[in-house]
Amino acid sequence: MGDHHKSNYSPSISDFYSHTKVFITGATGFVGKALVEKLLRSCQKLDAIFVLIRPKRGVAVEQRLNDLLKNSVFNKLREKTPDVFEKIKLISGDVGQPNLGLSDGDRQFLIENINIVFHSAATVKFNENLKTAVDLNTLGTKRVLNLCRKMKKLKSCIHVSTAFSNSDKRVVEERVYTPTYDAHAVLNIVQNLPEDIVEALSPRLIGKHPNTYTFTKALAEQLVQENSGNIPTAIVRPSIITPAWKEPSPGWVDNFSGITGIMMECGRGTIRSIIADENCQMDLVPVDIVVNTLITAAWHVVTHKSGDLQVYNCTSGSLNPVTWKEFGEYTHKQSHKYPSKYVTWYPGFTYTTRRFLHCIYATLCHNIPSALLDLSLVCVGKKPMMLKFSRKVNQALEAGSFFAVHEWVFSSASYRSLIQAVHTMEDSERFPVDFSLGSGFEWEDYVGVFLKGVRIYVLKDEMTSLPRARTKLNRLYWFQKVLQFIPYVIALILTRQMMKSLQ
């Protein structure tokens, strides 16, 4: 077990990473990219980062690494310290394969040399079938833990979970709960029964969980706890992860899945209705806060030992709460302030908890306009795509609706103790983990950062187009006013006609 239980107190967090070899799964994901970038930028003395990458749809692992390094997350590093990329080392493998799909040589190398592990590989699709979700999220975690148990120089291992791994509970403490069904029993079922039977059993197994994602993440936590006696490990549970607050640049984001896509379409004015309880608290965490929490948690586990497995609920609810209503108001305000040139309708949406009402809104305001736009595209010889996109948006709204009509209380004693411990370090400003009230984090400002990030990084719409976009928004405002006025004019004309016919 090497130096698992030696005290490694260091005067600074970055010193803790001096001369270490870090292994990361899920490095091509949203959190993974930001984690690799932050380690390279803020822990300059680390030896190397070994990233596990699998071949995907006929794309070789070397090509996938090249694509990763071209990502906008690395813009600053490319400008200032391009040599630092030599510290990124490729390990070909797959958490979905036995023994992580590693070659014997790579496996032995990792066992002999790795000091710190970040396991963030997972399928985050809510609608993933149970067999795939278990294979990647639960069995994948078991495979990583099996490797970690053999590592001779391992100082700490951080498992990236989700705050919603216990979404079947109202109050979520910083501890591992016993899942409804034992993880090993579920693994047994999934590995030994035909896929159609597993799918038939899926609703029964998942129980009160909203989807296979949260269920399989809960099972993975059970496995982490079982191994915590042998591996110096901790679990970090972020809630909904959103664009960067500050680092590597404000608003950085590299996908439009989940809430990012919803915010993008709210800004463009194409979403008019959202299933949400406006009085519920929403729980979001910027990706840079999550990354700093992962990096400092690896240090905290070693320097502030406790007998129990450390679990950090990396959530906003207890530190800096915001309701759906407040967030909606900020979104309205900021989307009028920072419109994109791709705005298609004057932004404005309403929340409803009534699904029937939402369906009417979605049909009238999402689907019919999309179908009409597709018709106009076909007329000019272009490929129709708006209705397909509208359906995707409706699916994202549906998938996220469970989290928008429920509220959780996330305990945060461990997370607060981490924040406190980081505050005492000389390089604490380099690893901000605190976004509580009074930390300088304001939701209204952040929503502006969020929307600008979507504009720049997702829509590829630079801020130079802002004056033109504002002019377009103004035109859309008056166009909407005229449209709203038409029914009154028609009603007035009809009334006058009736009055005439009665005379």
Side-chain angles (χ1 to χ4, degrees), residues 105-120:
D106 283 346
R107 183 177 169 77
Q108 203 49 45
F109 177 85
L110 296 173
I111 288 169
E112 299 288 341
N113 293 285
I114 292 300
N115 309 111
I116 297 162
V117 172
F118 293 101
H119 173 46
S120 85

Side-chain angles (χ1 to χ4, degrees), residues 131-145:
K131 193 175 179 68
T132 307
V134 166
D135 192 36
L136 296 173
N137 295 350
T138 313
L139 195 50
T141 300
K142 188 181 181 183
R143 290 169 182 139
V144 171
L145 292 166

Side-chain angles (χ1 to χ4, degrees), residues 125-134 180-181 186 189-190 193-216 219:
K125 287 183 191 166
F126 289 168
N127 58 353
E128 194 74 81
N129 67 58
L130 184 61
K131 193 175 179 68
T132 307
V134 166
T180 337
Y181 293 100
V186 176
I189 288 168
V190 169
L193 291 178
E195 200 164 331
D196 55 336
I197 295 175
V198 172
E199 279 314 293
L201 288 170
S202 183
R204 183 72 193 272
L205 290 171
I206 289 166
K208 289 182 181 175
H209 278 274
N211 50 51
T212 56
Y213 171 65
T214 66
F215 174 65
T216 53
L219 298 179

